[in-house]
């Protein structure tokens, strides 16, 4: 069996948007990216790392994004869909780079397991560690909670800085047993983290069937029975209120979530946002202010920002 590879010469600004689009909308078998900054930053490390940029073949100007599909997939139709998506993202004012798309085929070497050598334990904090299901990990603290994960099922491995920022926000907010909604749950990692940190019950929402399946399977992998799933767009059709609303989704989509928050947030509740590029902060701040919310805490790692948000005092 072969795999169809669609390669896009693009910009890091749209990497997350393309990831979600490929997995949730086009049902890609897998994705990966290759960023020039990864090689440049490796050369800045204060260790024995040496990176000779001139020796690296096919180094991107900014980012190469790869999406993998079954060889029987309609190549031309997929290319057209990616072209349309890039035009849409550009219309938002995002940098899409050269937006050059090329295709090729490779032999399938068991895609679902070959990449596992690159994904290992993330010893996230004193209280949490993210552990791939095939890893044997012994925590230094006996009470450290382990999030077992099969990340191959849907978007969300814990590696991305935005996921970690959201988890930091959850740790800070969970000062007593609370109920939580994880909006755009993906693999279910934040819903599981909330449960492990002591949430009484958790609702995980997503628009993707694959995410619903992944969240359920990963919850079962962790022997968790207080996570419920609902296939919906953001908080549409969701009933009830929550102590914590957490969302690790694209900044443009967060703008659509903000008007829904007030009717779904308990008194003294808190909202945790992530996947905010610092360039999107003015729009985000404006939308929050117009809907009666304010930022209590800003967390930043590189270009990514996480926020802890509460209602403004009346």
């Amino acid at each position: 069996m072969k795999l169809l590879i669609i390669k896009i010469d693009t910009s890091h600004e749209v990497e997350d948007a393309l990831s979600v689009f490929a997995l949730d909308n086009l049902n890609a078998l897998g994705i990966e990216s290759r960023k020039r900054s990864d090689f440049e930053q490796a050369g800045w490390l204060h260790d024995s790392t040496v990176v000779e940029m001139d020796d690296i073949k096919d180094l991107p100007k900014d980012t190469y994004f790869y999406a993998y599909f079954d060889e029987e997939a309609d190549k031309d139709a997929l290319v057209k869909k990616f072209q349309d998506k890039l035009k849409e993202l550009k219309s938002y004012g995002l940098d899409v780079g050269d937006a050059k798309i090329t295709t090729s085929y490779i032999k399938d070497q068991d895609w679902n397991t070959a990449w596992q050598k690159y994904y290992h334990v993330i010893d996230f904090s004193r209280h949490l560690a993210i552990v791939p299901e095939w890893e044997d990990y012994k925590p230094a603290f006996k009470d450290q909670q382990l999030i077992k994960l099969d990340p191959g099922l849907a978007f969300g491995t814990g590696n991305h800085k935005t996921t970690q920022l959201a988890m930091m926000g959850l740790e800070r907010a969970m000062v007593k047993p609370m109920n939580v909604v994880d909006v755009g749950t993906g693999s279910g990692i934040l819903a599981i983290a909330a449960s492990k940190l002591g949430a009484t019950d958790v609702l995980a929402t997503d628009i993707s069937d694959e995410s619903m399946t992944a969240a359920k399977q990963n919850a079962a992998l962790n022997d968790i029975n207080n996570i419920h799933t609902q296939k919906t767009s953001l908080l549409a059709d969701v009933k009830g209120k929550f102590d914590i609303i957490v969302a690790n989704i694209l900044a443009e989509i967060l703008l659509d979530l903000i008007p829904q928050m007030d009717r779904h947030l308990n008194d003294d509740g808190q909202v945790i946002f992530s996947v905010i590029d610092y360039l999107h902060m003015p729009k985000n701040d404006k939308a929050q202010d117009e809907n009666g919310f304010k930022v209590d805490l800003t967390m930043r790692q590189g270009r990514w920002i996480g926020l802890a948000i509460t209602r403004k005092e009346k």
Side-chain angles (χ1 to χ4, degrees):
M1 176 182 172
K2 292 183 178 179
L3 291 176
L4 166 65
I5 307 175
I6 294 182
K7 173 185 173 184
I8 306 175
D9 189 347
T10 186
S11 160
H12 64 273
E13 282 194 15
V14 296
E15 178 188 352
D16 291 307
L18 290 175
S19 298
V20 174
F21 180 66
L23 292 170
D24 289 358
N25 296 85
L26 303 183
N27 297 316
L29 298 177
I31 57 170
E32 64 176 322
S33 62
R34 178 173 179 166
K35 295 190 286 291
R36 187 181 189 91
S37 61
D38 291 340
F39 296 94
E40 293 173 339
Q41 291 171 12
W44 302 340
L45 298 176
H46 298 295
D47 59 12
S48 59
T49 304
V50 177
V51 179
E52 296 292 346
M53 302 292 284
D54 293 338
D55 294 339
I56 300 174
K57 296 180 180 179
D58 198 23
L59 187 67
K61 292 180 182 178
D62 186 323
T63 300
Y64 286 151
F65 176 83
Y66 303 87
Y68 296 83
F69 298 89
D70 185 274
E71 65 176 326
E72 301 298 328
D74 188 332
K75 178 180 67 176
D76 295 335
L78 288 170
V79 169
K80 179 64 166 59
K81 289 177 180 178
F82 273 115
Q83 289 172 337
D84 291 343
K85 186 62 178 180
L86 288 165
K87 288 179 182 177
E88 176 191 343
L89 294 171
K90 188 174 182 179
S91 73
Y92 297 149
L94 297 173
D95 179 12
V96 299
D98 289 346
K100 180 182 177 183
I101 300 177
T102 56
T103 62
S104 60
Y105 291 89
I106 61 167
K107 289 184 178 180
D108 179 13
Q109 297 179 344
D110 194 1
W111 168 261
N112 289 323
T113 57
W115 60 273
Q116 291 181 2
K117 62 184 178 182
Y118 302 111
Y119 180 56
H120 301 290
V121 172
I122 300 171
D123 202 1
F124 173 72
S125 72
R126 164 67 179 78
H127 303 288
L128 293 172
I130 304 165
V131 183
E133 62 170 333
W134 56 87
E135 290 270 3
D136 182 21
Y137 171 71
K138 303 297 183 185
F141 292 97
K142 292 182 179 180
D143 60 343
Q144 186 184 41
Q145 296 290 321
L146 307 186
I147 301 174
K148 298 177 183 178
L149 204 64
D150 179 359
L153 294 169
F155 186 68
T157 64
N159 276 306
H160 202 282
K161 299 298 186 293
T162 58
T163 307
Q164 296 179 19
L165 287 170
M167 287 175 61
M168 288 173 62
L170 273 174
E171 281 204 31
R172 176 180 179 271
M174 194 74 66
V175 295
K176 61 182 179 180
M178 299 177 175
N179 67 334
V180 179
V181 58
D182 175 17
V183 182
T185 193
S187 66
I189 184 172
L190 292 178
I192 295 168
S195 179
K196 294 279 188 177
L197 288 168
T200 54
D201 56 88
V202 184
L203 176 64
T205 75
D206 207 294
I207 200 170
S208 161
D209 288 324
E210 291 79 7
S211 290
M212 293 291 92
T213 299
K216 291 175 183 176
Q217 293 187 8
N218 281 320
L221 188 63
N222 287 271
D223 297 320
I224 290 174
N225 56 19
N226 69 339
I227 294 177
H228 310 282
T229 60
Q230 181 175 342
K231 183 183 176 184
T232 187
S233 175
L234 303 177
L235 291 174
D237 303 319
V238 170
K239 296 180 180 180
K241 293 189 175 184
F242 302 88
D243 299 310
I244 299 175
I245 298 172
V246 59
N248 178 31
I249 50 181
L250 297 174
E252 295 85 357
I253 303 176
L254 287 175
L255 293 176
D256 295 329
L257 174 61
I258 290 172
Q260 301 178 4
M261 297 191 313
D262 185 62
R263 64 180 178 271
H264 289 292
L265 189 67
N266 282 329
D267 294 340
D268 300 321
Q270 188 170 150
V271 180
I272 299 165
F273 276 178
S274 195
V275 187
I276 300 178
D277 189 308
Y278 71 95
L279 296 173
H280 289 95
M281 280 298 294
K283 288 183 180 179
N284 192 277
D285 288 343
K286 182 174 183 292
Q288 290 175 47
D289 182 65
E290 291 174 347
N291 286 273
F293 289 91
K294 63 182 177 68
V295 175
D296 280 343
L297 175 69
T298 300
M299 302 166 284
R300 178 168 177 172
Q301 189 162 4
R303 53 190 281 262
W304 301 110
I305 290 176
L307 302 174
I309 301 163
T310 57
R311 289 188 179 92
K312 291 191 292 187
E313 296 180 4
K314 295 181 179 180

